[in-house]
Amino acid sequence: GKVAAKEVETNLISQRFEVNLNDVPEIEGRRLALIGSHKAIGQWAAAHAVDLLPAFNIQDNKRVWSVSVKLPAGENIEYKYVLLSETGAAWESNALNRLLKVGTPSVQVDFVDNFNVEGI
């Protein structure tokens, strides 16, 4: 048991997630976070979601938020982005979870009013 677990741990690679939030003004006072099916990204529990951090991309004049998470190479994970505040969570408005095979290049997601922000 222990040997197998160790082998799995060494198979972790850094996976980058990026979001362009240029057109989402209501981020103030909230945290943009990543949440999903793997324990490293919370296993769908908002309390364990991983925060993204802002970095202004001068080249594209975009406000890009990003985070890198260590995940098992080759594993298929499901995830979503969520805006968290003290009063609750605003999930992405698209119903389907995002899918990713760990190790594939990150896709920068452009958000234009893409969160359910009512009641937050």
Side-chain angles (χ1 to χ4, degrees), residues 8 11-13 15 37-40 71-78 99-104:
V8 170
N11 203 24
L12 296 176
I13 61 170
Q15 179 73 51
S37 56
H38 191 269
K39 65 182 180 186
L71 291 163
E75 186 169 313
N76 291 308
I77 61 165
E78 297 183 25
L99 300 174
L100 172 80
K101 183 167 185 160
V102 177
T104 54

Side-chain angles (χ1 to χ4, degrees), residues 53-66:
L53 297 174
F56 191 76
N57 185 333
I58 295 168
Q59 181 184 342
D60 299 329
N61 198 28
K62 287 180 176 178
R63 252 184 337 142
V64 176
W65 294 59
S66 67

Side-chain angles (χ1 to χ4, degrees), residues 16 18 21 26 32 40 46 56 60 74 82 105 110 116:
R16 188 171 171 86
E18 294 185 340
L21 269 185
E26 62 274 1
L32 175 66
F56 191 76
D60 299 329
V82 62
D110 286 320
N116 293 314

Side-chain angles (χ1 to χ4, degrees), residues 2 15 67 116 118:
K2 284 185 181 175
Q15 179 73 51
V67 67
N116 293 314
E118 297 81 25

Side-chain angles (χ1 to χ4, degrees), residues 76-94:
N76 291 308
I77 61 165
E78 297 183 25
Y79 67 101
K80 275 192 172 185
Y81 295 104
V82 62
L83 285 174
L84 299 174
S85 72
E86 291 183 8
T87 55
W91 293 81
E92 288 186 69
S93 50
N94 51 311

